[in-house]
Amino acid sequence: MLGKAVEDAMNEQIKNEFFSAYQYLSMAAYCESENLPGFAQWMRTQSQEETEHAMKFYDFILDRNGRVVLHGIEEPVVEFGSPLEVFERALEHEKKVTAMINELYALAVRENDYASQTFLQWFVTEQVEEEKNAGDVVDTLKMIGDKSEALFLLDRELGQRRTEEQPTA
Ligand code: FEO
């Protein structure tokens, strides 16, 4: 059985992960409006992964005989100044999520909840990847500057990103 404190915190994290999905979908919509379909595809894939993260918490709560309680999701940012700003915000967002996951882990330690600690290990590792993915694109965009040909090529490269359920063929 899941303790109340960890259950509440995980329900809060379900909301945070769905907010991430919503924020990345909003970033995808902005990229579409800027005629950057590859950037938009990358963000759409990221949004789908965030929904999967939310559902991992959802299923874990159920597996531990807990009660899933969904909370309201705030509005995402909809306007951005440039593709660089989109990815800078994505990186900042992932840093915040890393802090949330670390707090959740610390709570599971304080509560002597070993099953939750093991479950959260996956997210600790995932956050390293999440920050790296966004950070790599920020670095590339800074190098590109205002070279439109390089931006075009990066857009094509980012458009290759798919989730595991979405074959590239
Ligand atoms: Fe669910 Fe991007 O972390």
Side-chain angles (χ1 to χ4, degrees):
M1 185 76 188
L2 199 54
K4 180 87 175 102
V6 174
E7 181 183 270
D8 287 349
M10 287 195 176
N11 274 318
E12 195 63 22
Q13 193 58 28
I14 290 177
K15 180 195 74 178
N16 294 334
E17 298 290 347
F18 274 123
F19 172 73
S20 297
Y22 216 39
Q23 181 59 78
Y24 284 122
L25 196 57
S26 180
M27 289 171 168
Y30 165 81
C31 293
E32 292 283 6
S33 78
E34 292 293 300
N35 295 316
L36 292 166
F39 281 73
Q41 171 62 36
W42 193 100
M43 284 295 172
R44 187 186 283 234
T45 302
Q46 183 67 32
S47 177
Q48 287 170 345
E49 286 194 8
E50 298 299 353
T51 300
E52 286 168 20
H53 294 172
M55 293 311 293
K56 276 183 192 282
F57 279 104
Y58 185 104
D59 286 333
F60 182 76
I61 292 172
L62 294 183
D63 287 348
R64 302 277 311 278
N65 290 321
R67 173 72 163 95
V68 170
V69 178
L70 299 181
H71 301 294
I73 303 171
E74 61 189 271
E75 274 195 21
V77 179
V78 295
E79 290 297 346
F80 305 89
S82 64
L84 175 59
E85 189 191 322
V86 170
F87 274 87
E88 282 176 335
R89 279 180 177 265
L91 178 58
E92 280 317 301
H93 180 70
E94 288 305 330
K95 286 180 180 172
K96 279 189 202 149
V97 175
T98 299
M100 290 171 189
I101 296 294
N102 289 346
E103 257 179 53
L104 245 177
Y105 193 95
L107 176 65
V109 170
R110 286 200 300 278
E111 297 286 316
N112 293 322
D113 183 344
Y114 303 110
S116 290
Q117 288 172 44
T118 303
F119 168 75
L120 288 165
Q121 289 280 353
W122 184 88
F123 283 92
V124 170
T125 306
E126 174 72 5
Q127 282 311 120
V128 174
E129 188 73 13
E130 294 281 77
E131 287 190 32
K132 178 179 162 31
N133 288 345
D136 283 353
V137 181
V138 167
D139 291 344
T140 306
L141 281 168
K142 281 182 177 166
M143 260 189 321
I144 284 176
D146 57 4
K147 296 187 212 74
S148 58
E149 194 177 326
L151 189 67
F152 174 78
L153 291 174
L154 180 62
D155 186 63
R156 279 177 56 170
E157 186 189 322
L158 294 183
Q160 301 300 311
R161 184 178 181 193
R162 297 286 187 283
T163 58
E164 280 158 23
E165 294 78 33
Q166 244 185 322
T168 44

